[in-house]
mmCIF file of all heavy atoms in Angstrom:
data_model
loop_
_atom_site.group_PDB
_atom_site.id
_atom_site.type_symbol
_atom_site.label_atom_id
_atom_site.label_comp_id
_atom_site.label_asym_id
_atom_site.label_seq_id
_atom_site.Cartn_x
_atom_site.Cartn_y
_atom_site.Cartn_z
ATOM 1 N N LYS A 389 5.819 26.542 -17.524
ATOM 2 C CA LYS A 389 5.276 27.484 -16.539
ATOM 3 C C LYS A 389 3.961 26.978 -15.966
ATOM 4 O O LYS A 389 3.711 27.101 -14.762
ATOM 5 C CB LYS A 389 5.088 28.863 -17.173
ATOM 6 C CG LYS A 389 6.388 29.604 -17.445
ATOM 7 C CD LYS A 389 6.127 31.002 -17.972
ATOM 8 C CE LYS A 389 7.430 31.761 -18.212
ATOM 9 N NZ LYS A 389 7.167 33.127 -18.741
ATOM 10 N N GLU A 390 3.114 26.422 -16.832
ATOM 11 C CA GLU A 390 1.832 25.885 -16.379
ATOM 12 C C GLU A 390 2.051 24.765 -15.358
ATOM 13 O O GLU A 390 1.358 24.696 -14.336
ATOM 14 C CB GLU A 390 1.047 25.360 -17.578
ATOM 15 C CG GLU A 390 -0.300 24.748 -17.226
ATOM 16 C CD GLU A 390 -0.980 24.128 -18.432
ATOM 17 O OE1 GLU A 390 -0.468 24.280 -19.561
ATOM 18 O OE2 GLU A 390 -2.025 23.480 -18.239
ATOM 19 N N ARG A 391 3.027 23.895 -15.640
ATOM 20 C CA ARG A 391 3.286 22.772 -14.737
ATOM 21 C C ARG A 391 3.816 23.259 -13.393
ATOM 22 O O ARG A 391 3.410 22.773 -12.331
ATOM 23 C CB ARG A 391 4.277 21.812 -15.382
ATOM 24 C CG ARG A 391 4.707 20.671 -14.485
ATOM 25 C CD ARG A 391 5.469 19.603 -15.238
ATOM 26 N NE ARG A 391 6.572 20.165 -15.999
ATOM 27 C CZ ARG A 391 7.747 20.510 -15.496
ATOM 28 N NH1 ARG A 391 7.967 20.375 -14.205
ATOM 29 N NH2 ARG A 391 8.702 20.995 -16.267
ATOM 30 N N LEU A 392 4.726 24.221 -13.435
ATOM 31 C CA LEU A 392 5.316 24.716 -12.193
ATOM 32 C C LEU A 392 4.305 25.460 -11.331
ATOM 33 O O LEU A 392 4.477 25.564 -10.114
ATOM 34 C CB LEU A 392 6.498 25.627 -12.504
ATOM 35 C CG LEU A 392 7.697 24.957 -13.192
ATOM 36 C CD1 LEU A 392 8.797 25.969 -13.444
ATOM 37 C CD2 LEU A 392 8.218 23.793 -12.368
ATOM 38 N N LYS A 393 3.251 25.969 -11.944
ATOM 39 C CA LYS A 393 2.229 26.700 -11.187
ATOM 40 C C LYS A 393 1.108 25.794 -10.674
ATOM 41 O O LYS A 393 0.192 26.269 -10.002
ATOM 42 C CB LYS A 393 1.633 27.808 -12.062
ATOM 43 C CG LYS A 393 2.593 28.968 -12.325
ATOM 44 C CD LYS A 393 1.926 30.051 -13.162
ATOM 45 C CE LYS A 393 2.868 31.233 -13.396
ATOM 46 N NZ LYS A 393 2.229 32.287 -14.227
ATOM 47 N N LEU A 394 1.174 24.510 -10.999
ATOM 48 C CA LEU A 394 0.100 23.601 -10.584
ATOM 49 C C LEU A 394 -0.145 23.601 -9.071
ATOM 50 O O LEU A 394 -1.309 23.702 -8.646
ATOM 51 C CB LEU A 394 0.379 22.176 -11.074
ATOM 52 C CG LEU A 394 -0.030 21.862 -12.517
ATOM 53 C CD1 LEU A 394 0.455 20.472 -12.919
ATOM 54 C CD2 LEU A 394 -1.544 21.966 -12.692
ATOM 55 N N PRO A 395 0.874 23.482 -8.214
ATOM 56 C CA PRO A 395 0.587 23.476 -6.772
ATOM 57 C C PRO A 395 -0.132 24.737 -6.296
ATOM 58 O O PRO A 395 -1.011 24.670 -5.433
ATOM 59 C CB PRO A 395 1.984 23.347 -6.138
ATOM 60 C CG PRO A 395 2.801 22.676 -7.190
ATOM 61 C CD PRO A 395 2.295 23.235 -8.492
ATOM 62 N N GLU A 396 0.235 25.877 -6.856
ATOM 63 C CA GLU A 396 -0.432 27.135 -6.494
ATOM 64 C C GLU A 396 -1.897 27.112 -6.908
ATOM 65 O O GLU A 396 -2.786 27.513 -6.148
ATOM 66 C CB GLU A 396 0.297 28.306 -7.161
ATOM 67 C CG GLU A 396 -0.260 29.668 -6.803
ATOM 68 C CD GLU A 396 0.488 30.783 -7.487
ATOM 69 O OE1 GLU A 396 1.483 30.500 -8.193
ATOM 70 O OE2 GLU A 396 0.068 31.943 -7.331
ATOM 71 N N LEU A 397 -2.157 26.619 -8.123
ATOM 72 C CA LEU A 397 -3.532 26.501 -8.612
ATOM 73 C C LEU A 397 -4.328 25.526 -7.758
ATOM 74 O O LEU A 397 -5.466 25.804 -7.350
ATOM 75 C CB LEU A 397 -3.511 26.024 -10.065
ATOM 76 C CG LEU A 397 -4.857 25.601 -10.683
ATOM 77 C CD1 LEU A 397 -5.797 26.800 -10.764
ATOM 78 C CD2 LEU A 397 -4.640 24.984 -12.067
ATOM 79 N N GLN A 398 -3.731 24.383 -7.450
ATOM 80 C CA GLN A 398 -4.422 23.362 -6.660
ATOM 81 C C GLN A 398 -4.785 23.866 -5.273
ATOM 82 O O GLN A 398 -5.908 23.642 -4.782
ATOM 83 C CB GLN A 398 -3.527 22.114 -6.554
ATOM 84 C CG GLN A 398 -3.311 21.399 -7.878
ATOM 85 C CD GLN A 398 -2.070 20.517 -7.865
ATOM 86 O OE1 GLN A 398 -1.153 20.727 -7.065
ATOM 87 N NE2 GLN A 398 -2.030 19.537 -8.750
ATOM 88 N N SER A 399 -3.853 24.560 -4.636
ATOM 89 C CA SER A 399 -4.118 25.060 -3.282
ATOM 90 C C SER A 399 -5.216 26.117 -3.299
ATOM 91 O O SER A 399 -6.053 26.170 -2.383
ATOM 92 C CB SER A 399 -2.844 25.622 -2.652
ATOM 93 O OG SER A 399 -2.360 26.735 -3.373
ATOM 94 N N GLN A 400 -5.252 26.957 -4.340
ATOM 95 C CA GLN A 400 -6.300 27.967 -4.427
ATOM 96 C C GLN A 400 -7.665 27.320 -4.642
ATOM 97 O O GLN A 400 -8.675 27.770 -4.090
ATOM 98 C CB GLN A 400 -5.996 28.960 -5.543
ATOM 99 C CG GLN A 400 -7.021 30.089 -5.654
ATOM 100 C CD GLN A 400 -7.228 30.830 -4.348
ATOM 101 O OE1 GLN A 400 -6.268 31.245 -3.698
ATOM 102 N NE2 GLN A 400 -8.494 30.990 -3.948
ATOM 103 N N LEU A 401 -7.708 26.276 -5.454
ATOM 104 C CA LEU A 401 -8.965 25.542 -5.658
ATOM 105 C C LEU A 401 -9.462 24.941 -4.347
ATOM 106 O O LEU A 401 -10.664 24.994 -4.039
ATOM 107 C CB LEU A 401 -8.772 24.443 -6.703
ATOM 108 C CG LEU A 401 -8.647 24.895 -8.158
ATOM 109 C CD1 LEU A 401 -8.147 23.754 -9.034
ATOM 110 C CD2 LEU A 401 -9.994 25.406 -8.688
ATOM 111 N N LEU A 402 -8.551 24.388 -3.554
ATOM 112 C CA LEU A 402 -8.953 23.792 -2.270
ATOM 113 C C LEU A 402 -9.416 24.857 -1.287
ATOM 114 O O LEU A 402 -10.406 24.663 -0.556
ATOM 115 C CB LEU A 402 -7.787 22.985 -1.695
ATOM 116 C CG LEU A 402 -8.044 22.235 -0.387
ATOM 117 C CD1 LEU A 402 -9.331 21.414 -0.454
ATOM 118 C CD2 LEU A 402 -6.854 21.341 -0.041
ATOM 119 N N VAL A 403 -8.735 25.999 -1.265
ATOM 120 C CA VAL A 403 -9.185 27.109 -0.414
ATOM 121 C C VAL A 403 -10.588 27.537 -0.814
ATOM 122 O O VAL A 403 -11.470 27.756 0.030
ATOM 123 C CB VAL A 403 -8.202 28.300 -0.513
ATOM 124 C CG1 VAL A 403 -8.815 29.562 0.097
ATOM 125 C CG2 VAL A 403 -6.892 27.964 0.172
ATOM 126 N N SER A 404 -10.819 27.668 -2.115
ATOM 127 C CA SER A 404 -12.131 28.062 -2.624
ATOM 128 C C SER A 404 -13.204 27.052 -2.224
ATOM 129 O O SER A 404 -14.331 27.422 -1.862
ATOM 130 C CB SER A 404 -12.065 28.200 -4.148
ATOM 131 O OG SER A 404 -13.270 28.688 -4.674
ATOM 132 N N ALA A 405 -12.866 25.769 -2.281
ATOM 133 C CA ALA A 405 -13.818 24.719 -1.903
ATOM 134 C C ALA A 405 -14.176 24.808 -0.422
ATOM 135 O O ALA A 405 -15.342 24.634 -0.040
ATOM 136 C CB ALA A 405 -13.234 23.345 -2.225
ATOM 137 N N LEU A 406 -13.186 25.070 0.427
ATOM 138 C CA LEU A 406 -13.445 25.180 1.859
ATOM 139 C C LEU A 406 -14.297 26.401 2.188
ATOM 140 O O LEU A 406 -14.992 26.432 3.208
ATOM 141 C CB LEU A 406 -12.115 25.233 2.623
ATOM 142 C CG LEU A 406 -11.343 23.901 2.646
ATOM 143 C CD1 LEU A 406 -9.910 24.113 3.108
ATOM 144 C CD2 LEU A 406 -12.052 22.885 3.529
ATOM 145 N N GLN A 407 -14.257 27.392 1.331
ATOM 146 C CA GLN A 407 -15.137 28.556 1.506
ATOM 147 C C GLN A 407 -16.538 28.283 0.980
ATOM 148 O O GLN A 407 -17.513 28.855 1.465
ATOM 149 C CB GLN A 407 -14.522 29.766 0.787
ATOM 150 C CG GLN A 407 -13.221 30.248 1.409
ATOM 151 C CD GLN A 407 -12.520 31.297 0.572
ATOM 152 O OE1 GLN A 407 -12.635 31.316 -0.666
ATOM 153 N NE2 GLN A 407 -11.775 32.187 1.221
ATOM 154 N N ALA A 408 -16.644 27.398 -0.001
ATOM 155 C CA ALA A 408 -17.951 27.101 -0.606
ATOM 156 C C ALA A 408 -18.769 26.116 0.217
ATOM 157 O O ALA A 408 -20.002 26.084 0.113
ATOM 158 C CB ALA A 408 -17.763 26.538 -2.020
ATOM 159 N N VAL A 409 -18.111 25.298 1.046
ATOM 160 C CA VAL A 409 -18.837 24.302 1.833
ATOM 161 C C VAL A 409 -19.367 24.937 3.115
ATOM 162 O O VAL A 409 -18.754 25.855 3.677
ATOM 163 C CB VAL A 409 -17.914 23.097 2.154
ATOM 164 C CG1 VAL A 409 -16.907 23.436 3.244
ATOM 165 C CG2 VAL A 409 -18.728 21.866 2.516
ATOM 166 N N ARG A 410 -20.482 24.457 3.558
ATOM 167 C CA ARG A 410 -21.074 24.997 4.797
ATOM 168 C C ARG A 410 -20.340 24.425 6.013
ATOM 169 O O ARG A 410 -19.720 23.355 5.938
ATOM 170 C CB ARG A 410 -22.555 24.632 4.875
ATOM 171 C CG ARG A 410 -22.798 23.132 4.991
ATOM 172 C CD ARG A 410 -24.231 22.801 5.326
ATOM 173 N NE ARG A 410 -24.450 21.370 5.385
ATOM 174 C CZ ARG A 410 -24.114 20.587 6.416
ATOM 175 N NH1 ARG A 410 -23.512 21.110 7.471
ATOM 176 N NH2 ARG A 410 -24.350 19.286 6.382
ATOM 177 N N PRO A 411 -20.415 25.103 7.168
ATOM 178 C CA PRO A 411 -19.868 24.525 8.397
ATOM 179 C C PRO A 411 -20.530 23.172 8.683
ATOM 180 O O PRO A 411 -21.752 23.037 8.599
ATOM 181 C CB PRO A 411 -20.231 25.558 9.467
ATOM 182 C CG PRO A 411 -20.300 26.848 8.710
ATOM 183 C CD PRO A 411 -20.877 26.494 7.374
ATOM 184 N N GLY A 412 -19.730 22.179 8.977
ATOM 185 C CA GLY A 412 -20.231 20.824 9.158
ATOM 186 C C GLY A 412 -20.159 19.983 7.899
ATOM 187 O O GLY A 412 -20.340 18.768 7.939
ATOM 188 N N GLY A 413 -19.886 20.641 6.759
ATOM 189 C CA GLY A 413 -19.816 19.942 5.484
ATOM 190 C C GLY A 413 -18.436 19.357 5.225
ATOM 191 O O GLY A 413 -17.492 19.547 5.998
ATOM 192 N N THR A 414 -18.323 18.654 4.100
ATOM 193 C CA THR A 414 -17.102 17.911 3.770
ATOM 194 C C THR A 414 -16.538 18.330 2.431
ATOM 195 O O THR A 414 -17.278 18.511 1.463
ATOM 196 C CB THR A 414 -17.399 16.393 3.733
ATOM 197 O OG1 THR A 414 -17.829 15.962 5.039
ATOM 198 C CG2 THR A 414 -16.173 15.600 3.319
#
Side-chain angles (χ1 to χ4, degrees):
K389 288 184 179 179
E390 179 185 353
R391 175 169 52 79
L392 295 180
K393 289 182 178 179
L394 277 173
E396 183 180 357
L397 170 65
Q398 293 159 337
S399 63
Q400 183 54 50
L401 287 167
L402 183 49
V403 167
S404 185
L406 289 166
Q407 293 171 330
V409 75
R410 65 169 178 79
T414 298

